[in-house]
Every structure is written in C-alpha cells, then in structure tokens.
Amino acid sequence: MNYSDNTEKNKTVGGMLYVVATPIGNLADIGQRALNVLSEVDFIAAEDTRNSLRLLTHFGISKPLVSYHEHNKREKGEEIVKRLLGGESCAIVTDAGTPAISDPGEDLVRLCAESGVPVTSVPGACALITALTLSGLPTARFTFEGFLPVTKKERRERLEALACEERTFILHEAPHKLRTTLDDLLKVLGGERRIALCRELTKLNEEVCRTTLEGAVNIYSEREPRGEYVLVIAGGSGKRSADEDGTSDMSPEEAVAYYSEKGMSRNDAIKAAAKALGLTRNQLYGMLLDK
C-alpha cells in the first residue's frame, strides 16, 4: 500500500466539518491528525462536553465546546451549520469512537451535505469494528444494528428479521439491559447460535467471551454485567427453521399458544406459527377453525 504525506492538505480550513474519531477507552489510540484537527478548529461539537473536556485537557488542548446530542441536535445542528457557512471550522466528536455511527452526528453530516458545507473524516477507533475483529466469527459480510428498539412490538419485529439474517450482526448493549437482551436473542435465535460478548474494549478490564447464546445466558445468570458491551452474533441460514423455536413437532394449537406466551398478539402468533410450521396463514387458520 502506498501512503502520501498530505500535511498541507490536511490543515484545517474554514467552513468545514471534521468528523473526528476519539479513543473508545485507551487514550493512546488517538491519532496525530486527530490531535492536530482538534487543536486547530474554531470550535468542537461534543456529545458530552464534560467527557470531551477531560480528553482535551489530557492532551493540552483548549477550544470552545458546543453541546450537541440526541435531545438538542435539531436546534444546535442549525446553529453549527450557520457558523460553518460563516467560515468557521468545527470538529464533531462523540463520547467514544467514531461520530455518526449510531450517533446524532449522522444528522449533522446530513445537514451539512444539504447546506453545501464540506465534510471530511479523521478516522480512528470504532467499537463495532474492534469487536468484530476480536469475535472469531465471519467478518467478510456483516451488519451493524446498534441498540435494539425499546418498545416490545418494534423489538420483536427487529429480532424476527435478524433470525433470517445470514451475515454476522453486531449490537450495542448497556450492562443493565444485557440479561434481557440475551434472553430475547435466545428465544428467537436458539441456544446454539454463536456469540462473542465484548466488554470494556481497549480498557484495563477488556474481556471477550466467545460462547453460544445458551452459554451466555447461563454465564450472566450468575455474573453481574459490568461495562459497555458489543455483541457480535453469528448469522443464520437465511431462513427461519421451526427447530430454532422448538416448534417442529408442535400441533398448530400448541405453536400458536407458544408464540402467544412470548407476548405476541393472536394474529401475530398465528403468522409466526404458520411460518414455523411451513404453512400459509390461511391454512393454519383453517386448521384452527376445524378444531
């Protein structure tokens, strides 16, 4: 691979947004170009100004900070773009890792693109890529799902879609929600599906637990989840097998009851049971009426 020294070209210029990756745990992982940009821009947009201030202070950088996060992105985004159009330069950073990945920075980049403001990236640490490379699972094709939805209906629909996903897929999860998420994954994907639970990446207590979903549930039934997790899960066959739910030997009534007990509505339970048993919805519905 050929490299070129674009030092002059990489000097910060007015009217540009810099998407700057910061360390996900180990401060030594920050790059020299990132430090240069953070030192030279007119101001920095940060998800949490307190966290970013600690980072900047560590490296002796003093720059004005603007709060930019999920709850103020609409108002603050317009203000930032206005300043950029006025000729100022801005670096956007997230609490850890690469901005705009499952992060409100995505909206700011889009807003800049729509307004004709140039955007460039200063690459660096990214938790999902770090976890993927440590997982021991296939990396040629993968998909990133971020955090699962909170509402039961949306969460169930997302998990049902992932059951048919052939690629390795990656989730983020907070420690207080880990057990619930593992239970949900186990119900939908089956106990034999492989998973790597990556915790506290690049930090002193970094841990990668490679096991199955059943093994993960058993481990964390006894162990208290600590730290932020990235879950890397093996892809499936591309189609949902009845055996994954254990419904292959069930009667139509038993299959519908099984999915109903998982919290599905009557109609959704019939749809899921029909799919698991290899029937159309009308076929299954007719069998239930006959009974």
Side-chain angles (χ1 to χ4, degrees):
M1 181 180 292
N2 295 322
Y3 296 94
S4 60
D5 183 359
N6 292 321
T7 303
E8 290 299 319
K9 183 178 179 181
N10 287 331
K11 285 186 176 180
T12 57
V13 296
M16 181 171 295
L17 176 70
Y18 294 83
V19 181
V20 181
T22 54
I24 58 176
N26 191 322
L27 290 176
D29 289 338
I30 197 166
Q32 186 59 53
R33 184 177 170 219
L35 293 174
N36 291 345
V37 169
L38 293 174
S39 299
E40 295 172 6
V41 291
D42 293 304
F43 67 101
I44 298 170
E47 183 179 11
D48 187 323
T49 55
R50 295 166 299 180
N51 286 343
S52 297
L53 181 60
R54 285 193 287 269
L55 174 72
L56 296 174
T57 300
H58 178 84
F59 291 104
I61 298 172
S62 178
K63 285 291 173 179
L65 288 167
V66 173
S67 175
Y68 177 82
H69 50 73
E70 184 65 32
H71 303 294
N72 71 358
K73 63 184 181 182
R74 186 168 185 175
E75 172 192 353
K76 289 295 184 179
E78 293 176 357
E79 293 179 8
I80 292 169
V81 168
K82 185 176 180 180
R83 293 178 66 174
L84 290 168
L85 289 171
E88 293 185 80
S89 59
C90 172
I92 180 170
V93 297
T94 186
D95 281 351
T98 301
I101 303 295
S102 192
D103 174 85
E106 172 188 3
D107 294 83
L108 183 57
V109 172
R110 176 187 52 76
L111 195 58
C112 285
E114 292 173 350
S115 303
V117 174
V119 181
T120 191
S121 177
V122 183
C126 181
L128 75 96
I129 297 299
T130 303
L132 180 65
T133 60
L134 294 175
S135 68
L137 296 172
T139 62
R141 298 175 66 240
F142 63 91
T143 182
F144 176 59
E145 289 289 326
F147 290 93
L148 288 173
V150 176
T151 62
K152 287 185 178 180
K153 183 176 183 296
E154 292 179 349
R155 188 180 182 89
R156 185 182 70 246
E157 289 174 350
R158 180 73 60 82
L159 287 171
E160 291 289 342
L162 288 173
C164 300
E165 177 58 67
E166 297 181 72
R167 297 168 293 181
T168 300
F169 62 91
I170 305 165
L171 303 173
H172 281 166
E173 194 51 277
H176 65 282
K177 295 181 179 178
L178 180 68
R179 286 171 173 160
T180 298
T181 294
L182 290 177
D183 286 339
D184 291 344
L185 289 167
L186 177 65
K187 290 175 184 176
V188 175
L189 304 181
E192 295 304 310
R193 188 73 69 93
R194 291 180 296 159
I195 181 173
L197 299 95
C198 304
R199 182 178 75 88
E200 296 292 87
L201 290 170
T202 77
K203 299 179 183 178
L204 184 63
N205 295 318
E206 176 180 286
E207 179 184 43
V208 179
C209 177
R210 302 176 186 88
T211 181
T212 61
L213 281 172
E214 183 177 12
V217 169
N218 291 337
I219 289 169
Y220 281 98
S221 66
E222 300 178 356
R223 181 190 303 178
E224 188 68 25
R226 296 184 185 280
E228 298 299 318
Y229 287 81
V230 182
L231 308 179
V232 187
I233 302 150
S237 62
K239 60 181 180 179
R240 188 69 177 275
S241 167
D243 291 335
E244 291 184 63
D245 279 327
T247 55
S248 57
D249 296 322
M250 291 183 183
S251 68
E253 296 85 354
E254 290 171 334
V256 172
Y258 171 80
Y259 287 110
S260 295
E261 289 171 1
K262 290 173 65 175
M264 293 187 183
S265 67
R266 176 72 174 176
N267 284 337
D268 286 343
I270 290 174
K271 289 178 184 177
K275 186 175 182 180
L277 295 174
L279 302 170
T280 67
R281 183 183 181 282
N282 288 338
Q283 286 173 328
L284 179 61
Y285 192 66
M287 294 170 72
L288 294 174
L289 287 177
D290 290 340
K291 291 290 183 180

